[in-house]
Structure formats: structure tokens, C-alpha cells
Amino acid sequence: MTFYFTGIRSFPKLWKSNSYFGLSSSHSYLSLFLKDCYGIRNQEKCFSVKTMSAQNTKAMNLLIAKARCVRKLDESSNKQVSADSSHMFAAGAAKKRSQMNPSSKDPVLPPVENIIQLPTKPLNSEEWDKLKEEFKEKANFENWIILQMVKCHSSVDVAKSVLAWVAAKNSGIVGYDLLVKYLYLCVFHKQTSEIIDVYEIMKARYKRLESGAYTLLMRGLIYTDRWREALLLLEDLKKVMIPSKKNYDDCIQGALFHQDVNVAWNLYQELLSHDIVPMLETLKAFFDFGKDMKDDQYSNKLHNILLYLRNNQLYPGESFAHSIKTWFESIPGEQWKGQFTTIQQSGQCLGCGKTVESIHLSSEEYEFLKAKIMRDVIDGGDQYKKTTPQIGSLW
């Protein structure tokens, strides 16, 4: 066992001086930190040594004897630990260690959750009242139950009975959050009439909606006779933010479903003007719509989509690839034949024998890219475009 005395510069001076700590000769204390570095143990111990007068040698001898006894007990304990360390991974060792070092913390019990089985059929007001009484947080019951229905994709009829129960208690008024969650279920189950009913309620009650409600309404209206109202919702959304690629996808899909190709292409160009990368499902819809169509203008636009995929290194999935293959083969008067193939390490196609275009830059392309990076990124043009005199003074 090795002991290290920590923080002592002049041990003899400290030991001999009675007034070092500003105390009298009979009350001077010296605190020592002893570090046990034997075997795998690594513990720090602290005790105090009290300076004694010459007349109290008996107490001094007793203290020394006690220290020797403690040392022998530590050495014995260390030998036992060293012997047991080789069996650290033996069977039952983990249980023994857990018994030797019991946790002082009380076991943490899992929180008690509200466990209510969702109804599978619509309930009346009395039944909903009874179910609410079993719920611990009664003030949040309505929001909680409709949220569980959304997670489980419950029946629209069951969710509608919740709204009818809430409306009966609140003079026919249903809150915005409940309406949006109910709308989600209607869109998920494609309940067109219910979607339109919720849309009418929201349109009459709220001048503006949040983006999630706009998205659900557009998605729900695109396959109905009132699909053009989804375009009006898109215009409303553009007043406060740039619509998402999914918003554009829904409207483009609806326009193609209702055979309005011009609207679909205009929305596609608008999406690109915002530097938004379209969803592959959106591009696939254009190819599916162009099947068996003999229209050079439409074909040119599809070729532009293929160039967009190439230039932006977007790779269609298997379903999209099938749509591209089917469109080529369906063009009237042309004899296209497509097949799925494998590209060799050399870049050669096993189907046609041609070499696939390499993504490696030529020396001219590299120099062009290098010059553009140096000019637009490293140099950046106007150094003060995004700063102010206040910010500049910090440098």
C-alpha cells in the first residue's frame, strides 16, 4: 500500500510548528489525504493527526498503534480484492458485486398512465361522460382521446361522435385543435363529404389557418369536384410562407387527375422558381399522365425533367423507373424498347453496350468550378454586404 501526502510543502515545519494553523499547542490539527493505489482499488481516505505535547506520549503511542492496525486491515482487504479480481467475470460475480455495493437510491416506479381502451363504435353523450370520469386528467380528456384516435387511425364515425359530444356541451362549438385532428382522420380515410363539411366550418370561422390545416385541406380537396379551391388555399398559404414541396405535389396531382395539364406545368415551374427540389412522386405523375400521348410539346417537357434528374443527380426509384420505361415504350409511332440492366465497374451497360456518362470532372470543368468557388465563396464579392459598422468594429 502506497500513501501519497497531498498538498504538503514542508512536512517537518508543519509537524513541529504548534501555531501554524493559528491554534494553540494542544489543539493543532494536520489533515492528510492518503491515496490507496494497491491492486485495482483506488480510494481516497482522509484523517487528522493531532499534535501532542511531550507529556502525552501515551496518547501518541496509542494513536500509532491504531494506525498500524488500520494498515494491516487494509492490506488484508487488498489481498482479498486482488484474489477476487481474477474472477471478475465468473458466474455470479455480477450478483456478488451488486450485493457488496447496494444502490442507495430508491427504485423509480414508472409513471401511472391513463389506460383507456378506444371505443370501436360511436358513443352517445352519456357513454362519453362515463368514459371521461375514468380518466385522471379530466380537463384534457377530449384532446387526449382524439389524439389517440389519430395515432390508431380510428373510424371517422367514432371520432365524429366525440365532436358531437363536445359540441353539445359547448353550444355547438368545437375547438380548432379537435377540428384539425378530425380532419386528419377524414383525409386518411378519404371521407370526401366530411372533408368538405370541416372545410366549410373552418372557412366560416377562421380567416387564416396554420400550415398543417392548409396541407390537410389541399390534400383532401384535390380529388373532389371542388379541387380548384385547393389552389385558392395554396394562394392563401403563399401570402405568409413559401409552400412546401408536398403542397405543390398535392395540387399538381389534383390538376393532372382532373386533366388540367397547363395548371400542373405552371405549378411545376413555380416550384422550381423557389429552388425547391420536387418530390419524385410529382415527376412520376407527369410521366404517368403522358402515357400513350402523341404531343411533342409535352414530350419535350418530359425530356427536360430527365435532364433535371441528370443535372441534379436525382435517381428515380424502381416505380418511377417503370413509369419512365412505360412512357417511352408507349409513344405512338416510335419503337422504344426499355429493359432493366446492370452497369459494370467500367461504366459499360450490359444492355446496349454503351458507356454510361462519368460523374468525374474534366480538366476544363474542374478549372471552371475552381474559379467559381474562388470568386463566389472565398472572395465573395462585396465584403460588407452582410455586415454593419457595429459588427465590423468587433474585428
Side-chain angles (χ1 to χ4, degrees), residues 283-293 302-303 305-306 309 316-332 334-341 351:
L283 305 181
K284 178 180 181 298
F286 283 111
F287 282 89
D288 290 337
F289 184 84
K291 183 180 177 182
D292 298 320
M293 181 186 296
L302 292 185
H303 280 106
I305 289 180
L306 294 176
L309 293 173
E318 185 175 352
S319 178
F320 188 9
H322 273 287
S323 295
I324 296 173
K325 173 179 178 293
T326 302
W327 173 73
F328 271 106
E329 294 177 341
S330 69
I331 299 175
E334 300 189 22
Q335 303 297 321
W336 288 98
K337 180 63 177 176
Q339 69 180 56
F340 288 89
T341 184

Side-chain angles (χ1 to χ4, degrees), residues 246-363:
K246 183 57 182 172
N247 296 143
Y248 278 107
D249 174 72
D250 289 333
C251 293
I252 289 172
Q253 298 264 13
L256 292 175
F257 179 81
H258 293 283
Q259 306 292 312
D260 198 331
V261 182
N262 291 330
V263 169
W265 282 117
N266 290 338
L267 290 172
Y268 173 70
Q269 292 300 327
E270 184 179 303
L271 179 149
L272 294 180
S273 68
H274 291 304
D275 291 328
I276 299 175
V277 178
M279 299 177 64
L280 294 181
E281 289 81 359
T282 306
L283 305 181
K284 178 180 181 298
F286 283 111
F287 282 89
D288 290 337
F289 184 84
K291 183 180 177 182
D292 298 320
M293 181 186 296
K294 183 62 175 178
D295 186 336
D296 292 339
Q297 186 178 3
Y298 193 92
S299 296
N300 290 334
K301 291 179 178 180
L302 292 185
H303 280 106
N304 288 334
I305 289 180
L306 294 176
L307 288 174
Y308 178 84
L309 293 173
R310 168 192 176 274
N311 295 334
N312 292 276
Q313 296 186 11
L314 298 176
Y315 306 104
E318 185 175 352
S319 178
F320 188 9
H322 273 287
S323 295
I324 296 173
K325 173 179 178 293
T326 302
W327 173 73
F328 271 106
E329 294 177 341
S330 69
I331 299 175
E334 300 189 22
Q335 303 297 321
W336 288 98
K337 180 63 177 176
Q339 69 180 56
F340 288 89
T341 184
T342 303
I343 305 299
Q344 294 180 322
Q345 290 290 337
S346 61
Q348 186 179 22
C349 174
L350 294 180
C352 63
K354 292 185 178 180
T355 301
V356 178
E357 182 183 19
S358 174
I359 62 173
H360 296 292
L361 298 176
S362 65
S363 57

Side-chain angles (χ1 to χ4, degrees), residues 8 11 14-15 21 28-32 47-51:
I8 306 299
F11 185 79
L14 198 60
W15 183 262
F21 290 98
S28 295
Y29 286 85
L30 170 63
S31 294
L32 303 177
F47 64 88
S48 297
V49 179
K50 183 178 180 182
T51 59

Side-chain angles (χ1 to χ4, degrees), residues 131-166:
L131 198 60
K132 183 176 181 179
E133 287 299 320
E134 301 174 3
F135 191 73
K136 295 185 180 299
E137 300 177 11
K138 297 180 176 58
N140 299 322
F141 175 74
E142 292 82 0
N143 285 322
W144 182 85
I145 196 71
I146 199 73
L147 180 60
Q148 303 310 308
M149 290 182 178
V150 167
K151 292 179 179 179
C152 299
H153 299 134
S154 297
S155 167
V156 170
D157 292 335
V158 178
K160 191 175 182 179
S161 70
V162 176
L163 268 62
W165 170 59
V166 172

Side-chain angles (χ1 to χ4, degrees), residues 183 187 195 198-199 202 209 212-222 230 233:
L183 176 61
V187 172
I195 293 171
V198 175
Y199 172 56
M202 288 186 159
L209 306 175
Y214 277 115
T215 298
L216 288 172
L217 286 172
M218 283 186 279
R219 193 174 304 169
L221 291 172
I222 54 173
L233 292 173

